[in-house]
Amino acid sequence: MKPTIKIFFFVFSTIIFFSCKTKNKPARADAGTERKWWKEATVYQIYPRSFQDSDGDGVGDLKGIISRLDYIKSLGIDAVWLNPVYESPNKDNGYDISDYQNIMKQFGNMDDFDKLLKGFHDRGIKVMMDMVLNHCSDQHKWFQEAKKSRNSEYYNYFHWWPAEKGEPPYRWSIFDEKAYGWEFNKATNSYYLHYFADFQPDLNWENPQLRQDIYKMMRYWCDKGVDGFRMDALAFISKDTTWPPLPKEYNGNWGLYYASGPYLHDYIQEMNREVLSKYNLATVAEAMGDIPRVKMFVDEDRKELNMAYNFEAIDFGYLPGEYKMPDPNGYDFVKWKSIYAKWDSAFVEKGWGTMYLANHDQPRMLTRWGNDTPEFRDYSSKLLTTFILSMRATPFYYFGDEIGMNNIKFEKVEQYNDVELLTNYEQVKAKGGDLKRFLEGMKISSRDNGRTPMQWDTTTNAGFGNGKSWLPVNGNYKTINVAAQEKDENSCLNYFRKMIRLRKDNDVLVYGKYTLLDKTNPDVFAYTRELNGKKLLVLLNFRGKITSVNTGIDVGNGEILINNYSTPSAGGTLKPYEAIIYQL
Ligand code: GLC
């Protein structure tokens, strides 16, 4: 570095250092944790395709969301995460982006987006965009050019294996029927890499030009005023381009190997310097792996991201070696609780976690983690809401769960739309597997269950839109819908609002120390939250039967802050799916 540049750099960083110190006085909420808006926020996830269709084409759109802004505001949430709205051929519903700086035609145009952003901001709601940075669509200009010739200026925006070197070293692909991550391209006589479907070529982050283009694009959205990013498949962006054989420990665990590329964190730190640090953003990564790995994304000292998803709890209870096949014997509840406790302790000193039970890659939480029978749907929906909003982590709450929507449970493969399911179906079929069993499992776990249209009212298509919707509306919309629940003060919807208010009014629910109690209880999730002398006790009976709980705490003098029955249980028992929060 030249001396003048060095001096400039020193003066500049000193100014920045001191201005940050004075601006962000470390207001410690508890040992270890600094207050931040995104720690205190409840994020509501909107899958735009399925939220509200304004033009009758059967697909939700931005104008549709605009027409529901007041509803969203009424929930009391602080931020929304929008699944991808960029131009896309939609083979993976927007996760195959063909133009990062334009809006998908089915969803509207940039003018609609600007209005939507303003509409949210006018209501004090922040907006997080989905950023898909590991791959783009094969229809993106970069790939269209790259695939023409090895001399194309975009050739090195992707990973290629020249065919003259023979077959490429094996790489797995998640959305490929042959589970093979390389696809041959005739014009260049080479194979391109795709960890996801063959229409989702992986971007070559080793190329600094690509990285600069990405940062520029991200700054475009930040300059528009978006408030954060949910980073799709971010853990996979760095690859070892010597393409060594997959290590032995890989053994099908793609999160472990693919999520640990040699320059992963260098790239994220560079992104932080070039983009994230310049704005007041909330960032959350899909970050696979164990605690030490995931902590690297969110440890403040490393200057990378704010939050990460933990997949361990959400993927729990599936049979090993099979695609999302629920264990017919249920899941080990005691172990599941310990996973949450483990991930809570991971972020006590550094970093911050997320709490979610559903999203667009998951089935409906009511079916998977609660009980969607008429007898228990209400209670268990409220119980899950209590759980999500009482943990020490930022809650990400999926649209429709506030009214207790449940899985649609398709009978036939033809009813599904999802590339992931269809790929896996073909794989089971090719191996001569049991397709009936596969489809039974998918009634519980497939992603399309979480993507059916929002149930607004009892009119045609549940008020989602006039045209035939891209996925059918769940047949129970006449009883399960927003309009009906607005009128009922005891509805799931109003319980959700109440629970959000409770979290807002009680810092202890955000920052308070978390302690798991009655750890070996096979039915009840019990924990305390403590902050500055205030102590809350959360009791959640995850079973459809009366159970006993033994926390060792006398709740006799406790005040009930919220509960999902008209008369709460007293003492050591809980009613089916009962949820209670006491202030002790
Ligand atoms: C992420 C998205 C998922 C998508 C995949 C490929 O896991 O959440 O919906 O299919 O990445 O982009």
Side-chain angles (χ1 to χ4, degrees), residues 473-513:
V473 174
N474 193 315
N476 63 15
Y477 75 92
K478 294 261 179 198
T479 45
I480 311 297
N481 63 64
V482 172
Q485 297 200 14
E486 287 286 9
K487 286 186 221 135
D488 173 4
E489 69 172 292
N490 293 319
S491 64
C492 297
L493 174 60
N494 282 319
Y495 187 91
F496 175 58
R497 290 177 171 137
K498 204 169 154 198
M499 191 60 216
I500 289 204
R501 267 199 307 278
L502 192 70
R503 190 173 173 94
K504 272 210 158 49
D505 295 345
N506 288 277
D507 257 14
V508 57
L509 285 174
V510 178
Y511 294 110
K513 179 175 155 216

Side-chain angles (χ1 to χ4, degrees), residues 45 47 81 83-84 92-96 130 132 134-135 174-175 196-197 200 230-233 236 254 286 288 311 359-361 418-420 447 451:
Q45 183 190 347
Y47 196 63
W81 150 25
N83 288 95
D92 185 20
N93 293 348
Y95 285 93
D96 44 334
D130 216 311
V132 188
N134 175 67
H135 47 269
I174 184 170
F175 295 164
F196 292 85
Q200 292 167 307
R230 176 263 184 192
M231 313 256 191
D232 183 75
F236 303 142
W254 86 315
E286 273 200 307
M288 289 76 184
F311 284 81
N359 61 35
H360 66 293
D361 289 334
D418 174 23
V419 58
E420 184 182 71
R447 309 198 289 183
R451 299 178 176 184

Side-chain angles (χ1 to χ4, degrees), residues 402-505:
E402 72 272 28
I403 54 167
M405 281 173 63
N406 60 290
N407 281 8
I408 191 161
K409 304 181 186 168
F410 290 137
E411 291 292 336
K412 300 191 202 115
V413 67
E414 294 76 27
Q415 292 171 292
Y416 284 98
N417 166 282
D418 174 23
V419 58
E420 184 182 71
L421 177 129
L422 297 173
T423 308
N424 281 277
Y425 180 86
E426 289 307 325
Q427 287 175 357
V428 174
K429 194 167 157 190
K431 283 189 207 134
D434 185 343
L435 290 169
K436 199 163 167 266
R437 178 170 180 274
F438 174 83
L439 288 175
E440 275 310 302
M442 291 306 104
K443 286 183 184 173
I444 303 299
S445 63
S446 114
R447 309 198 289 183
D448 276 346
N449 283 304
R451 299 178 176 184
T452 61
M454 180 66 167
Q455 296 167 208
W456 294 105
D457 53 40
T458 56
T459 63
T460 323
N461 295 327
F464 167 70
N466 297 329
K468 183 173 183 291
S469 54
W470 72 281
L471 272 185
V473 174
N474 193 315
N476 63 15
Y477 75 92
K478 294 261 179 198
T479 45
I480 311 297
N481 63 64
V482 172
Q485 297 200 14
E486 287 286 9
K487 286 186 221 135
D488 173 4
E489 69 172 292
N490 293 319
S491 64
C492 297
L493 174 60
N494 282 319
Y495 187 91
F496 175 58
R497 290 177 171 137
K498 204 169 154 198
M499 191 60 216
I500 289 204
R501 267 199 307 278
L502 192 70
R503 190 173 173 94
K504 272 210 158 49
D505 295 345

Side-chain angles (χ1 to χ4, degrees), residues 175-291:
F175 295 164
D176 186 82
E177 277 175 36
K178 299 180 292 307
Y180 188 58
W182 295 97
E183 190 71 17
F184 184 65
N185 176 53
K186 200 153 167 247
T188 56
N189 191 36
S190 52
Y191 298 82
Y192 66 87
L193 183 73
H194 61 91
Y195 279 179
F196 292 85
D198 57 2
F199 56 79
Q200 292 167 307
D202 279 38
L203 291 164
N204 177 8
W205 276 72
E206 273 60 44
N207 179 349
Q209 186 56 47
L210 174 273
R211 300 204 301 273
Q212 286 308 321
D213 279 1
I214 293 277
Y215 302 150
K216 198 167 149 208
M217 172 277 288
M218 290 175 80
R219 285 192 294 262
Y220 166 84
W221 289 102
C222 294
D223 290 338
K224 257 188 185 300
V226 307
D227 306 285
F229 296 114
R230 176 263 184 192
M231 313 256 191
D232 183 75
L234 191 71
F236 303 142
I237 57 175
S238 166
K239 278 98 183 171
D240 183 343
T241 52
T242 64
W243 307 115
L246 290 176
K248 271 204 213 81
E249 321 82 83
Y250 166 69
N251 194 21
N253 183 349
W254 86 315
L256 203 64
Y257 174 67
Y258 286 16
S260 310
Y263 302 109
L264 170 63
H265 294 283
D266 298 285
Y267 298 153
I268 302 178
Q269 283 167 10
E270 183 183 74
M271 180 198 293
N272 186 297
R273 285 194 301 275
E274 299 264 341
V275 188
L276 311 178
S277 61
K278 300 183 193 301
Y279 306 86
N280 182 17
L281 300 172
T283 49
V284 55
E286 273 200 307
M288 289 76 184
D290 48 18
I291 286 179

